[in-house]
Amino acid sequence: MLLELAHAKNILFFGGKGGVGKTTVSAATALVMANAGRSVLLVSTDPAHNLGHLFGCSIGSKPMKLTAGLDVMELDPAETVKLHMEEITSSLHRLMPVNMRSEVDKHMTLSKDAPGMQEAAILERIAEVVEEGVKEYDLVVFDTAPSGHTARLMVLPEMMSAWTEGLIKRREKADKFAEIVRGMGSDSSMEDKIFGADAKDADKSRELGIRQILNRRRLRFTTLRDRLSDPEQTSFIIVLAAERLPVLETIELYEQLQKANVSIGGLVVNKRSPAGMGEFLEERRLQEELHLATLTKALPDLTRQDLYLTTQDIVGIQALEKLAATF
Ligand SMILES: Nc1ncnc2c1ncn2[C@@H]1O[C@H](COP(=O)(O)OP(=O)(O)O)[C@@H](O)[C@H]1O
Ligand SMILES: [Mg+2]
């Protein structure tokens, strides 16, 4: 299932609870695809930065070459928020009257820690990485942060484009109103006398600037939303362990993703207990089967791929290739 999806799609997301093997499985998939001759970008959006640990090297927030065909990067939330804030501040400086600058700065300093700011910044960055990634690579693989966060990210494009849409409509209404008011006074020179013709021009160009920024954002989010919800291009793979809570959380995550119109490619059940390895593991294996029966009952249409627990932790390229050979 994993390799079929990886061959068929341009964008793969791996999500699930912490510790289930998202980083391991996404990296193994990316690696095996690169070995098969495709150009692959592997991106971690998890602040826990585990790609670096996995490959034993430090990985930055720009794509860097790891092996032939495979580039990797880790989104840095702090840096992403900083850049995002700088971008917004500079737009606001351009668009607001000069005497409002200190107000703008005060507002931006407060917004830095506002709830949702980090998610919005990361989402903007993901949108960028997706757009650039699909141009430069055959496949972009996202190793995402634990469940809740990811599901929210997936709904955000929808929310953000609706929000921007609302703002654009409000501005259009305000424009129409202004036009009517202007039309009522036949002599516009009066207005010029009061406010100054320059001030009016500055207002108009600010207005245009705001509209352009809103339109660009709307386009960015609708493009991202369309890409993420296009099953031809994108698949979301849920990784889990065959345990009670991960199973319940998987069912929840599946529902959230479905609501967000994200196409779910399948389930990877990782760290399964191998058969024929003694009584202890056999008992564990039967327990896993019970949990998996709950999973299959709740999500009967999803393809499932089981990966077995290995005796060693999976670190480095060779260990990943060994795991990928069992896909
Ligand atoms: N099939 C497996 N067998 C043994 N250990 C595994 C397996 N899959 C993952 N691990 C180990 O489990 C730990 C957590 O995996 P990781 O991929 O970092 O999870 P996540 O990214 O979901 O938090 C790592 O130490 C990894 O080496
Ligand atoms: Mg991880």
Side-chain angles (χ1 to χ4, degrees):
M1 175 269 273
L2 272 172
L3 295 185
E4 278 161 35
L5 281 176
H7 274 288
K9 316 287 170 188
N10 306 109
I11 306 164
L12 290 182
F13 280 87
F14 287 85
K17 239 173 118 66
V20 289
K22 296 179 295 298
T23 303
T24 311
V25 179
S26 57
T29 309
L31 186 63
V32 75
M33 292 307 291
N35 289 348
R38 295 187 81 190
S39 65
V40 185
L41 175 65
L42 172 63
V43 190
S44 165
T45 68
D46 188 348
H49 286 337
N50 18 39
L51 284 180
H53 297 299
L54 177 58
F55 290 112
C57 61
S58 100
I59 291 169
S61 57
K62 300 246 152 50
M64 64 168 243
K65 187 174 164 185
L66 193 82
T67 62
L70 178 60
D71 286 1
V72 290
M73 65 191 279
E74 288 181 334
L75 299 191
D76 178 340
E79 184 195 292
T80 307
V81 170
K82 194 168 154 273
L83 289 175
H84 181 67
M85 300 291 291
E86 281 169 6
E87 215 182 284
I88 299 178
T89 310
S90 92
S91 301
L92 285 177
H93 277 175
R94 257 189 304 119
L95 296 169
M96 301 295 269
V98 181
N99 59 5
M100 296 279 287
R101 277 208 178 166
S102 66
E103 272 313 303
V104 167
D105 291 342
K106 223 191 303 170
H107 174 77
M108 292 311 285
T109 311
L110 288 174
S111 309
K112 189 166 59 64
D113 301 315
M117 182 51 91
Q118 185 165 318
E119 276 175 335
I122 294 227
L123 182 75
E124 295 249 8
R125 190 75 189 103
I126 290 182
E128 264 168 34
V129 172
V130 164
E131 283 318 302
E132 284 161 27
V134 289
K135 271 189 241 144
E136 312 250 325
Y137 300 86
D138 300 325
L139 175 68
V140 185
V141 177
F142 283 96
D143 165 26
T144 73
S147 331
H149 181 79
T150 313
R152 271 204 305 281
L153 268 187
M154 291 302 186
V155 215
L156 266 174
E158 189 74 36
M159 270 167 43
M160 298 281 258
S161 59
W163 182 74
T164 337
E165 189 75 39
L167 277 181
I168 290 174
K169 286 221 175 89
R170 286 231 301 268
R171 294 217 74 87
E172 275 167 2
K173 263 195 202 148
D175 267 7
K176 276 206 191 105
F177 183 67
E179 240 168 62
I180 293 169
V181 171
R182 240 175 263 135
M184 287 191 323
S186 55
D187 180 10
S188 67
S189 65
M190 188 60 144
E191 203 181 329
D192 290 351
K193 269 184 208 135
I194 300 171
F195 298 111
D198 284 354
K200 222 171 68 188
D201 281 350
D203 266 358
K204 271 203 190 119
S205 82
R206 263 200 296 275
E207 186 66 35
L208 200 69
I210 292 174
R211 183 89 45 85
Q212 272 172 353
I213 288 182
L214 288 179
N215 274 325
R216 231 178 294 141
R217 279 173 71 89
R218 175 171 62 172
L219 185 67
R220 194 182 299 170
F221 291 127
T222 47
T223 312
L224 180 65
R225 184 200 57 198
D226 292 348
R227 251 195 230 293
L228 296 189
S229 57
D230 176 5
E232 300 275 315
Q233 290 186 69
T234 307
S235 253
F236 196 101
I237 296 157
I238 306 178
V239 186
L240 73 151
E243 292 164 9
R244 190 170 158 272
L245 278 179
V247 163
L248 296 179
E249 282 195 23
T250 297
I251 299 169
E252 240 170 66
L253 177 61
Y254 175 86
E255 280 160 9
Q256 285 171 335
L257 290 170
Q258 269 226 316
K259 267 192 215 138
N261 257 327
V262 175
S263 137
I264 298 125
L267 303 167
V268 171
V269 182
N270 189 25
K271 303 192 190 183
R272 287 229 47 200
S273 301
M277 292 288 179
E279 211 176 304
F280 178 86
L281 278 187
E282 195 52 34
E283 208 171 309
R284 181 83 227 150
R285 215 173 60 79
L286 289 177
Q287 175 80 66
E288 291 170 6
E289 292 295 343
L290 281 180
H291 295 311
L292 292 178
T294 312
L295 185 68
T296 312
K297 199 165 159 224
L299 311 173
D301 301 327
L302 276 189
T303 3
R304 195 182 100 197
Q305 174 149 13
D306 290 3
L307 299 176
Y308 287 89
L309 187 68
T310 57
T311 49
Q312 311 277 318
D313 273 2
I314 299 166
V315 183
I317 289 182
Q318 273 186 349
L320 287 171
E321 284 172 345
K322 211 167 137 194
L323 177 74
T326 71
F327 282 4

